Amino acid sequence: MSTEEPLQPSDAPPTPPAQPENLANPPAQPAVRPTAPVSPAQGSATDRTRTTRAAVIWSAVAVSLVVLVLLIIFFIQNQDMVAVRFLGWEGSLAQGVAFFIAAVGGGILVAIAGGARILQLRRNERRRRKSTDA
């Protein structure tokens, strides 16, 4: 239910008068009002809604907490003990922990490969700059 009272006929805004249509001579272009340039002091809408470091950190913490909750659920649901053998080592682990260790190991391998590629690209760029500067 709205707390506003309905408009009385005397309070209603006036309707614009109907303009006669001139079909014989239509306007060449609609009138466009020029917009004033935005000064650097005013800034644009994107400047006013800048992302702060605190907002980025807060978002990262929120996403990390969700991931941690999902990992806890994964560990709880995969508690069966499994035999693990790796390069002569033998032992038994919970299945969830074994999967997690395997995933972290895969992530480390990907990070090493990515780091090596970044170093290679930097070295090539440094060589290219030396050859063009000399």
Side-chain angles (χ1 to χ4, degrees):
M1 219 174 162
S2 175
T3 59
E4 297 178 19
E5 295 179 16
L7 290 176
Q8 300 299 325
S10 61
D11 295 339
T15 58
Q19 297 179 351
E21 292 183 22
N22 188 354
L23 298 178
N25 294 324
Q29 275 188 325
V32 177
R33 201 171 85 188
T35 58
V38 177
S39 69
Q42 287 177 330
S44 65
T46 56
D47 289 341
R48 284 180 266 158
T49 58
R50 281 189 300 186
T51 304
T52 62
R53 289 181 187 175
V56 171
I57 291 171
W58 185 87
S59 299
V61 168
V63 169
S64 298
L65 287 174
V66 169
V67 169
L68 285 175
V69 168
L70 292 174
L71 277 173
I72 290 170
I73 293 169
F74 177 77
F75 290 144
I76 290 172
Q77 290 181 346
N78 292 287
Q79 291 185 5
D80 298 337
M81 296 302 284
V82 293
V84 178
R85 293 180 198 93
F86 181 72
L87 297 176
W89 295 342
E90 290 186 31
S92 60
L93 283 173
Q95 187 178 21
V97 175
F99 287 152
F100 183 70
I101 291 171
V104 170
I108 290 171
L109 290 177
V110 168
I112 289 171
R117 179 65 178 151
I118 289 171
L119 290 175
Q120 181 185 35
L121 291 172
R122 285 183 182 172
R123 185 178 57 231
N124 290 344
E125 182 64 20
R126 202 174 11 231
R127 287 179 185 168
R128 187 189 64 79
R129 284 187 184 171
K130 273 187 178 180
S131 66
T132 57
D133 291 342

